[in-house]
Amino acid sequence: DGGITQSPKYLFRKEGQNVTLSCEQNLNHDAMYWYRQDPGQGLRLIYYSQIVNDFQKGDIAEGYSVSREKKESFPLTVTSAQKNPTAFYLCASSILRGGRMQPQHFGDGTRLSIL
Amino acid sequence: AQSVTQLDSQVPVFEEAPVELRCNYSSSVSVYLFWYVQYPNQGLQLLLKYLSGSTLVKSINGFEAEFNKSQTSFHLRKPSVHISDTAEYFCAVSDVINQGGKLIFGQGTELSVKP
């Protein structure tokens, strides 16, 4: 079945540690996105990528980094500079077709907590 | 800048009663509108979308939403809810001039259906 796979489902970070969240899609979608979800705040965009080897900052990029070396993969690294990383992280993807918006498809998320 | 406001953070309702989840947006350009549903510890699933055409859009499980341009609203309704509709619902907007398919989300409304 086609879809988006996020791993791991749960992740714990120690002080001063960088951690990487995986996101893989087999939908052949052009664009991929990372969101952070906190209770009562909805989803906030961290980074997005429309094409391989290119990505843009979203609204809350500080303390995070990404790469897009393959169309299928868009890993997110939460660096030690992110002082409040505890949240639910969601990856999404969508087709970009001639500038017309297509709905985003979401993975099942990774819950990151501080040890 | 675009923004989305979901006016109710929590909506408790009894089974088989009607429900309306309110969503208002602000944008200086034409928009696409979406409702997503999220069950506990899962990603978001697309419930319905307005891209163009008829302002009344419907989902396969009985939800509907109406795009009202003059009131900048996209309220979600269901005439009779089920226990299984208990979830968090997110309204989202994207401008028609596609900025990489970016979505702006509301804060979410937690629908709780009681027997």
Side-chain angles (χ1 to χ4, degrees):
Chain A
D1 286 339
I4 300 176
T5 301
Q6 290 188 241
S7 61
K9 192 168 181 65
Y10 298 95
L11 187 58
F12 298 91
R13 196 191 89 169
K14 296 179 182 179
E15 289 289 336
Q17 186 181 43
N18 293 353
V19 291
T20 298
L21 285 60
S22 171
C23 178
E24 303 278 331
Q25 55 101 356
N26 61 3
L27 300 167
N28 198 30
H29 284 178
D30 309 291
M32 297 186 75
Y33 314 83
W34 273 106
Y35 294 93
R36 172 181 170 137
Q37 185 178 16
D38 296 281
Q41 295 193 45
L43 278 70
R44 293 180 290 169
L45 183 64
I46 305 172
Y47 270 98
Y48 66 104
S49 168
Q50 296 176 262
I51 195 169
V52 174
N53 293 324
D54 188 44
F55 47 83
Q56 288 77 41
K57 292 182 178 180
D59 300 317
I60 55 165
E62 186 174 349
Y64 300 97
S65 66
V66 294
S67 63
R68 187 91 186 273
E69 296 177 2
K70 299 186 300 182
K71 188 176 184 178
E72 304 80 21
S73 179
F74 192 42
L76 173 74
T77 296
V78 184
T79 75
S80 57
Q82 173 49 246
K83 297 306 180 188
N84 183 24
T86 297
F88 192 48
Y89 291 86
L90 287 162
C91 179
S93 69
S94 71
I95 297 170
L96 295 179
R97 183 174 294 152
R100 183 178 175 86
M101 179 69 188
Q102 301 296 321
Q104 291 183 14
H105 296 251
F106 284 80
D108 281 338
T110 292
R111 190 167 298 279
L112 176 62
S113 302
I114 293 292
L115 279 179
Chain B
Q2 291 176 326
S3 66
V4 178
T5 301
Q6 291 183 240
L7 296 160
D8 306 293
S9 59
Q10 294 181 321
V11 174
V13 64
F14 287 107
E15 193 174 18
E16 298 184 5
V19 70
E20 178 180 79
L21 307 184
R22 296 179 292 170
C23 173
N24 286 87
Y25 68 92
S26 65
S27 177
S28 58
V29 298
S30 297
V31 296
Y32 298 128
L33 293 156
F34 305 85
W35 276 101
Y36 283 86
V37 59
Q38 184 181 35
Y39 299 100
N41 292 312
Q42 293 186 24
L44 276 66
Q45 300 172 30
L46 180 68
L47 188 59
L48 43 75
K49 63 188 178 190
Y50 170 77
L51 302 182
S52 64
S54 173
T55 57
L56 182 65
V57 291
K58 299 184 179 184
S59 73
I60 58 173
N61 58 352
F63 283 96
E64 64 180 37
E66 186 157 21
F67 170 50
N68 187 320
K69 188 174 181 179
S70 63
Q71 297 187 5
T72 61
S73 69
F74 191 54
H75 301 331
L76 181 69
R77 301 183 181 94
K78 189 171 185 179
S80 176
V81 293
H82 301 290
I83 297 287
S84 60
D85 293 324
T86 295
E88 190 151 22
Y89 293 79
F90 291 94
C91 181
V93 64
S94 178
D95 66 43
V96 172
I97 302 172
N98 194 350
Q99 295 180 9
K102 288 170 58 178
L103 285 174
I104 306 298
F105 285 87
Q107 300 92 328
T109 297
E110 191 176 324
L111 175 63
S112 176
V113 181
K114 303 179 186 304

